[in-house]
Amino acid sequence: MATATQSQPAKEIFHFINSPATAIHEALTGLTEHNPFLSYSPAHKIVYRSDLEEFRKDHVTTIGCAGGGHEPMFSGFVGHNFLSAYVSGSIFASPTAAQMFEAIVMCTPPPSPDRGSPGTLLVVGNYTGDILNAGLAITRATAAGYNVRFVPVGDDVAVGRKKGGKVGRRGLSGHLVGLKCACAMAERGVGLEKVAEVMESIARNVGTVGVAFDRVALPNAILTEVQTLPPDTIELGMGAHGEPGLQQISPVPSPMELTKRMITLLTNMEDEDRAFIPFSGDREDDGEVVLLVNSLGSTSDEALARFAELGIQELESQGFKVSRLTLGALVTSLKMSGFGFTLWRLPASKGGEVLSREEALDLWDSHVDVVAWRQ
């Protein structure tokens, strides 16, 4: 007599890890063991610059907070002229309020009768968990007497004003642009209010759009229930955790056509729903930009370089000048097959902004001593 058997989930190996529960801890342990300028607090999954105890005495400190799975953000950007510390959550999950509070305490010198604390800037991407937990941590820290400024960053132009509503845009890689400059200012001894003002100003002038062939599979040791795309299809504007994008496109367009479509989403001021980067239309005044080309995980440098070339050509055809270019795996989504363009509108040549164009580029060019930034 035949007996019924219950089918088991199909086992799949998606990632080279021991266990999803310990993957982030093991990765951060390995990172800091091989880089002496970094230290690690395993109890709260905080990576911090090894000279933090001395640095925090007379410098504003900067903290980046994010879920794991997006490495090298932010662990690869801790060090000289960049972040003071990084707080990591589990894979695709915000760090807790308790973790963030401990990072604030770690970045603040002990009270001194003759000298106050320079203060701390805390930055997260615009996601509900990160915003909520950061708010709780900062409320607790403020009540305890700590001087903290908070800047959430949302730069995804795929999420228009109608769809974003009060929640706003998702955070992708725009906060790296702001932090590159704000952290350089902190390293030079600039005060907290100015450092935070620069971070906010750059966040208002940056936009990102990504594209991917498929949603990422989570490392849960079984076949993940992920809504896959049809064959010969890409999704324009897909989120960093596989959130729905702006449009599915089939057949896959040529690299040139895809680049034109993505860059236009960033620069088109006639699209009132997505015209987030405030270009004036006067290219002589505010037509200089910084371009980042980011791998979402498995896209090679060779492919990124080709898209970078096409991106520069498209921007130049629209009258822009690309003053700086950075490419590589900066903000990933595990091993997602895709890439993104991030565009920063540099300050206008006529002035009247938080930074002058020359100051902005000087901060951008500041040499850093971190694991992952491409100089």
Side-chain angles (χ1 to χ4, degrees):
M1 181 176 178
T3 58
T5 57
Q6 186 176 5
S7 63
Q8 298 295 319
K11 294 289 183 179
E12 294 284 346
I13 303 299
F14 283 127
H15 306 273
F16 290 111
I17 63 173
N18 292 315
S19 165
T22 60
I24 298 300
H25 166 70
E26 291 171 352
L28 297 181
T29 299
L31 178 75
T32 51
E33 283 181 348
H34 293 286
N35 294 280
F37 60 88
L38 296 177
S39 297
Y40 179 48
S41 172
H44 297 95
K45 286 192 287 194
I46 301 172
V47 174
Y48 59 97
R49 51 189 293 171
S50 296
D51 64 350
L52 180 61
E53 185 173 357
E54 187 65 27
F55 180 82
R56 66 183 183 174
K57 292 179 181 179
D58 48 14
H59 293 83
V60 168
T61 49
T62 52
I63 303 172
C65 305
H70 301 298
E71 290 76 17
M73 184 192 80
F74 285 110
S75 55
F77 307 115
V78 176
H80 174 74
N81 257 333
F82 227 137
L83 285 167
S84 307
Y86 162 54
V87 190
S88 178
S90 298
I91 295 174
F92 290 0
S94 167
T96 66
Q99 287 177 269
M100 295 183 188
F101 176 76
E102 288 300 323
I104 294 169
V105 173
M106 183 181 293
C107 287
T108 304
S112 171
D114 58 343
R115 181 174 57 187
S117 167
T120 297
L121 173 68
L122 191 145
V123 174
V124 304
N126 186 32
Y127 294 98
T128 302
D130 299 88
I131 298 292
L132 178 62
N133 289 334
L136 292 171
I138 292 169
T139 298
R140 180 182 174 190
T142 302
Y146 294 98
N147 184 18
V148 185
R149 285 291 304 272
F150 174 51
V151 179
V153 178
D155 56 304
D156 186 358
V157 302
V159 180
R161 291 179 172 86
K162 294 177 183 177
K163 182 178 179 180
K166 294 182 179 180
V167 175
R169 298 183 285 165
R170 301 178 293 224
L172 294 177
S173 50
H175 35 26
L176 276 186
V177 178
L179 284 168
K180 179 66 177 69
C181 298
C183 294
M185 293 196 76
E187 192 86 27
R188 299 177 186 185
V190 177
L192 179 59
E193 292 305 312
K194 184 65 175 181
V195 170
E197 184 183 22
V198 167
M199 185 71 209
E200 291 170 340
S201 174
I202 294 175
R204 291 192 299 268
N205 287 274
V206 69
T208 299
V209 63
V211 66
F213 280 99
D214 231 330
R215 288 172 172 79
V216 68
L218 297 177
N220 57 5
I222 65 172
L223 186 62
T224 309
E225 292 292 334
V226 176
Q227 182 183 0
T228 58
L229 299 181
D232 196 23
T233 302
I234 57 174
E235 187 157 335
L236 181 61
M238 185 184 293
H241 312 95
E243 300 96 334
L246 171 65
Q247 180 186 14
Q248 292 186 8
I249 306 172
S250 181
V252 177
S254 69
M256 181 179 296
E257 182 184 345
L258 178 60
T259 298
K260 179 179 179 64
R261 191 174 302 193
M262 294 173 72
I263 293 296
T264 300
L265 279 172
L266 295 168
T267 60
N268 183 11
M269 297 306 297
E270 295 180 0
D271 183 352
E272 295 182 359
D273 196 37
R274 291 183 173 82
F276 290 106
I277 308 177
F279 293 111
S280 68
D282 181 355
R283 298 289 187 258
E284 292 295 324
D285 184 34
D286 66 349
E288 286 196 35
V289 296
V290 170
L291 179 66
L292 270 69
V293 189
N294 174 54
S295 168
L296 294 175
S298 65
T299 305
S300 68
D301 277 4
E302 289 81 2
L304 294 180
R306 178 54 178 154
F307 277 108
E309 181 183 18
L310 291 171
I312 292 173
Q313 289 176 4
E314 177 59 30
L315 286 163
E316 289 179 344
S317 75
Q318 296 184 23
F320 291 99
K321 174 185 176 183
V322 179
S323 295
R324 300 290 188 274
L325 169 69
T326 295
L327 62 81
L330 302 169
V331 183
T332 68
S333 182
L334 294 173
K335 56 178 185 176
M336 182 182 283
S337 179
F339 79 100
F341 286 120
T342 295
L343 198 65
W344 172 28
R345 168 196 171 272
L346 286 168
S349 61
K350 296 178 181 177
E353 302 192 32
V354 173
L355 291 173
S356 70
R357 183 175 297 172
E358 292 72 21
E359 289 171 331
L361 288 173
D362 180 56
L363 292 167
W364 181 260
D365 292 338
S366 298
H367 181 82
V368 297
D369 188 7
V370 299
V371 173
W373 187 254
R374 306 286 184 93
Q375 301 287 349

